[in-house]
Amino acid sequence: MKALPFWFIAVGAVLALLGMAWGIQMAITQDHTLSPGHAHNNLVGFVTMVIYGVYYKLVPAAAQTRLALVHFWVALLGALTIGIGVAMATSGQGEWLAQVASIATIIGMAIFVYTIVRHRAALA
């Protein structure tokens, strides 16, 4: 799983690009109604995914675990859906996707916290 940091960072970069395009679209149309979805996309999709990737690059032993792979897929589910889910909720199209994305996102962060504690000696 040496490629795991790459995939976290690559997904984060792609979601940042999409978030920037979404922001430009809102600026051009002067319609910022969905800005909460845009913000969640950028924070969860870009910032957290890149932080996860950098951590796994700094602590390669953590990246070699099965839990790290589970972490990637759970975090990916949250990152890919939270912006859309929040945008749907904001526009009155239902909250179910935001709820699923939020659960995936918090589970991903819980896995990250556990991983940091488990591999604390690597950063001490």
Side-chain angles (χ1 to χ4, degrees):
M1 288 188 254
K2 286 185 176 186
L4 192 64
F6 166 81
W7 287 109
F8 271 111
I9 294 169
V11 167
V14 168
L15 289 173
L17 183 62
L18 293 173
M20 289 175 180
W22 192 359
I24 291 168
Q25 180 270 333
M26 286 189 293
I28 290 169
T29 63
Q30 293 295 300
D31 181 359
H32 297 89
T33 307
L34 301 180
S35 60
H38 161 74
H40 279 76
N41 174 79
N42 289 344
L43 181 60
V44 175
F46 173 58
V47 176
T48 59
M49 292 297 278
V50 170
I51 288 171
Y52 295 156
V54 169
Y55 172 80
Y56 284 118
K57 184 67 176 173
L58 290 172
V59 185
Q64 298 304 316
T65 66
R66 186 170 224 15
L67 184 59
L69 191 57
V70 170
H71 182 211
F72 175 75
W73 290 108
V74 170
L76 181 65
L77 173 64
L80 291 176
T81 57
I82 196 143
I84 297 165
V86 170
M88 286 173 58
T90 301
S91 63
Q93 297 178 28
E95 297 180 358
W96 69 271
L97 187 57
Q99 292 166 346
V100 170
S102 296
I103 290 168
T105 300
I106 200 165
I107 290 171
M109 187 56 72
I111 293 169
F112 187 54
V113 168
Y114 174 80
T115 301
I116 290 170
V117 170
R118 184 172 176 212
H119 296 275
R120 64 187 168 272
L123 292 178

